[in-house]
Amino acid sequence: MRTDSPDIRRRAMDRPPDGRDAPDPREPVTLLFRDLRTSARGLADRETNRRQAVYGPNTLTQRGGRRWPRELAQQFTHPLALLLALAAVLAAVSGAPALAVAIVAVILLNAALAFAQEQQAEKAVEALAAFLPEQATVIRDGVRREVPATSLVPGDVLVVEEGERISADARLLSGGVEVDLSALTGESVPVFRSAELVDAEGSLLDARDLLFSGTACTGGQAQAVVTATGMHTELGRIAALSQRTRREESPLERQVKRAARLIALVAIGVGLAFLPVGLAAGLSLAAAVSFAIGLLVANVPEGLLPTITLSLASGVRDLARRGAVVKRLSAVETLGSTTVVCTDKTGTLTENRMLATAVWTPGGEYAVDLPVAPPPEVRLLAATAAACTTAHPEAGHGDPTELALLDLADRLATALPPGQRDLDRQALFRFDPRIKLMTTADFEDGTVVLHTKGAPEEVLAHADRLLDRGSQRPLTSDDRTEVVRAVGHLAARGLRVLGVARRQLPPGQAPPDRREDAERNLCLIGLIAMADPARPEVAGAITLAHRAGITVHVVTGDNGMTAAAIAGQVGIGRGGSRIVTGTELAAMGERELDTLLARGEEVIFARTSPEAKLRIADALRAEGHTVAMTGDGVNDAPALRRADIGVAMGRSGTDVARESATMVLTDDNFATIVAAVEAGRRTYDNIRKFIVYIFAHAVPEVVPFLVFALAGGAVPLPLTVMQILAVDLGTDTLPALALGRERAEPGLMDRPPRPRGEKVIQRSMLARAWGFLGLLSALLVMGGFLLTLAGGGWHPGDPTGPGSALHLTYQQATTVTWLGIVACQIGTAFAARTERASLRSVGVMSNRQLLVGIGFSLAFAATIVYVPLLHHVFGTAALSPAQLAIVTPFPFVVWGADELRRALVRRRPAASAKPAGTTTAPAPTPITVSAHHPVAVLLARHGWSAQRLHHALGVTEHAAEEIVSHARQVAAEHGRRPP
């Protein structure tokens, strides 16, 4: 072995650990020892101390610090917060300090809530750190010892045992272990890693002699040399991706800012513009200033921000009851604009449990749930598969596939207790992912029997006999073709297929010492098909999503054919889905990926990596889509943060995924996502409803001041500033909040998603609020004001000030104006409950909160009108029954007129809406259908060579070459642009 000089050694150790000069963990072990300057005896303590000074602790770190003072201050510069501050100033100027204090309290509360919500996004890296154990077992100076996991450095020799979490990236030196990589890859089945299985090429995560930080050892024992620690591990790379991925504002957040700017400009502009108008009309300076302040207050919807916040909070509560926990209020609205859902398969579309559903023997296919007694060969098949297991159901752990096999044996009354199975075992050859086989040697009736299970094509390649109706016979080429056909039929139904074989040794012969000797000359018994059943409610949810114009892509780490079959069962693909493997996706350019997604087809992305999920999310967002992305593993964290709505699994998901996501499903169910989309749409519609409601009464508040100004004082001021504030923050708020609880309008999920850039305040809403409901209300209240004045003997220009004969009549007239606005609000509230549908379709009395809010408004109005102590504050006076009769019809007039308008709107066909970012996709170019079996083609797409296909499936060399060529053609078709 080469010995470096001290100078060379010192210079090497002084290099910054940025990963550029890190050794390749897949290089030969002797070279790896040399480059890491270590050996199988491990490092010396002094050497580990020096390396810790260079590489730092084995932890995941955050970039920079939180600049919380500036971030907190930004909450107070939000346009709507500034608008509320303006309202507080106006309230103080208008002589209502208590009201000003209340508005300031609202500003502070909203800022605190927003700041607290943003802190949640920074917890993802902290959750990643929880994947690192506190202690690790290492060999240093040839001595085994326990050390803090944070003290590991490259070159340490790590001891890995069953039940432990792996502390760093490492290269196996000896032994073999089963590892749960689901946190990194999304694979639900543990994989086998061994020092004897050397992979010099391909993805690091697929290398069978490498271990990774944050994963868990589920079986076996091994020693490995640490190659990377901390932020230089695969887990650290994902943490870095999460840190670089920042949350963007939701559509509602952007639109509320724009609306706030618009409202502020209109309020200030109208107030300043009409100040000289009042002076020109002959008003005194004090009267003109009072007039301008009145216009400002009338145009500022003080209750808008708290109403939106509380409506979103109500949506959050509704979603929580449905099984979806939303961590950011604005996400409720974003859900309603979702155009694309990228969903995982296992646990989201399926129940996340394996169940044997059918078996195949040369006698044909057999459904295991039939009430009749199974044939003998089926019982033998189940017993053979159960013998080739290591799972212990009573202990609550084991490979899901093996648990399903033991369950099958139990259902067919061929079960052998796991304890007895282990006593009978003579040898065990664990599952090898390279050859996809597992074999056990067990005592059975005094002889040793070899039981083998694994991938059907591999079992077929190692078998030369077939058990046919109780007797063994040679396995012919026709038999092989029949087996491959059966595998294809079962796999096409979304079933995972295992081949099962056995070989009985002569009496007295010991089990083979080598795997190669054990797994030869096998007798094929049959096939077992297992399913992770689709959730029964998912198909209906997919149908509802399609009706709502939502595209559903499957993005999974599982096998593409199985994912496509499950997708077909629940309705994803609408007649067939494209399968794009991770290798094919990596070979695509950005334009090719954009073209694929723009076709409008629903795609199955199989064997995806964290970067691939990010690419898919970015490509969809670049097309203008609002994307919801599901995930449960550490590897999903960056994509969950990049998507508009990151959806994590609450049951099976990792803490990292839950911290990175915007929404957590407590039931891991896709149907809950669609329910959340429906709730989001309803919440957004309700926000628009109470915006219409709030804006509508701005017109009857502004028009009295205009009449006063344009009349030059000949018509007294019909409304006071305090009366406006009593409307905006007294009778206005509770009905507005109740509209946020409105039930969904009919046809809500039959509409396409709204465009991503659609404004929350649209011209049609303003036309309805200002040009119809508001104008009608203004005409009614001004009519009531003038009618009351005229009834008291008033003529234009007559004095109405204090001490005049008409002063009481004037106070009653302003009270009629104010009460008329309240009455029109009631009619507007009922009218705003639907946008197009009739009120009867949602139920006139169905919104109990609205009835309570209206009841409060009437009680509040009665208090202001009939409590003498408040008359001086608000400038009101008690009304006679005849004067009350003037305003009594106002609610019915406003609501009835809008009901007629909506009836006319329904008669016109609705304009076809089109989601943002979608284009009319040309008919997809059909891929040439091959005569070759889809199983063989899919194997070739996953990298099988022609030689391996020839060996495993028994096809001719020429046919194998054709299969590989066709697989390449299919891959090319996925990236080809439409003509």
Side-chain angles (χ1 to χ4, degrees), residues 388-634:
C388 189
T389 60
T390 59
H392 288 265
E394 68 280 359
H397 66 80
D399 181 84
T401 299
E402 293 194 349
L403 293 175
L405 294 177
L406 293 174
D407 174 69
L408 173 64
D410 185 62
R411 284 188 284 159
L412 298 182
T414 62
L416 184 67
Q420 185 62 45
R421 175 201 64 192
D422 296 343
L423 289 175
D424 293 339
R425 181 148 299 158
Q426 301 299 299
L428 169 65
F429 300 97
R430 291 185 177 271
F431 178 77
D432 185 341
R434 181 176 57 87
I435 60 175
K436 298 181 181 178
L437 291 178
M438 174 181 174
T439 298
T440 61
D442 307 283
F443 263 131
E444 188 176 301
D445 298 330
T447 61
V448 175
V449 179
L450 301 171
H451 301 109
T452 299
K453 74 175 190 299
E457 63 275 9
E458 296 292 350
V459 174
L460 197 60
H462 290 77
D464 59 5
R465 288 168 295 144
L466 179 69
L467 184 67
D468 189 0
R469 294 175 176 82
S471 61
Q472 298 185 17
R473 63 175 177 81
L475 188 63
T476 65
S477 59
D478 290 339
D479 293 330
R480 293 179 183 273
T481 301
E482 184 64 26
V483 172
V484 171
R485 184 178 293 111
V487 171
H489 289 322
L490 294 170
R493 284 150 49 185
L495 303 176
R496 183 183 181 190
V497 186
L498 285 181
V500 180
R502 58 184 276 146
R503 174 161 64 100
Q504 184 172 350
L505 300 180
Q509 181 175 335
D513 295 328
R514 299 192 315 149
R515 180 175 213 126
E516 293 79 3
D517 295 331
E519 294 170 346
R520 63 181 178 85
N521 304 124
L522 299 175
C523 177
L524 179 66
I525 308 298
L527 307 172
I528 298 178
M530 291 170 289
D532 182 1
R535 293 179 180 268
E537 63 274 18
V538 169
I542 294 293
T543 300
L544 188 60
H546 287 163
R547 278 173 43 199
I550 298 173
T551 302
V552 182
H553 299 305
V554 178
V555 185
T556 177
D558 290 343
N559 176 275
M561 178 171 283
T562 302
I566 292 293
Q569 291 177 18
V570 299
I572 298 175
R574 308 174 190 176
S577 298
R578 288 184 180 272
I579 302 174
V580 177
T581 66
T583 303
E584 294 167 357
L585 181 60
M588 284 185 184
E590 298 303 325
R591 292 182 59 187
E592 294 170 324
L593 178 59
D594 292 345
T595 300
L596 172 66
L597 294 172
R599 291 183 177 185
E601 297 177 327
E602 293 179 322
V603 183
I604 309 297
F605 293 98
R607 307 295 189 193
T608 53
S609 65
E611 291 85 358
K613 287 192 172 185
L614 278 176
R615 282 190 67 199
I616 295 168
D618 284 342
L620 289 168
R621 285 165 54 85
E623 290 290 320
H625 290 287
T626 301
V627 182
M629 174 81 72
T630 72
D632 54 9
V634 174

Side-chain angles (χ1 to χ4, degrees), residues 686-706:
N686 290 344
I687 289 174
R688 296 176 65 169
K689 289 173 184 176
F690 66 67
I691 287 177
V692 168
Y693 169 77
I694 289 174
F695 278 28
H697 65 257
V699 178
E701 290 176 358
V702 170
V703 166
F705 287 91
L706 297 181

Side-chain angles (χ1 to χ4, degrees), residues 295-315:
L295 285 177
L296 284 171
V297 174
N299 279 285
V300 174
E302 291 88 350
L304 181 60
L305 181 59
T307 303
I308 289 178
T309 302
L310 292 175
S311 177
L312 292 174
S314 173

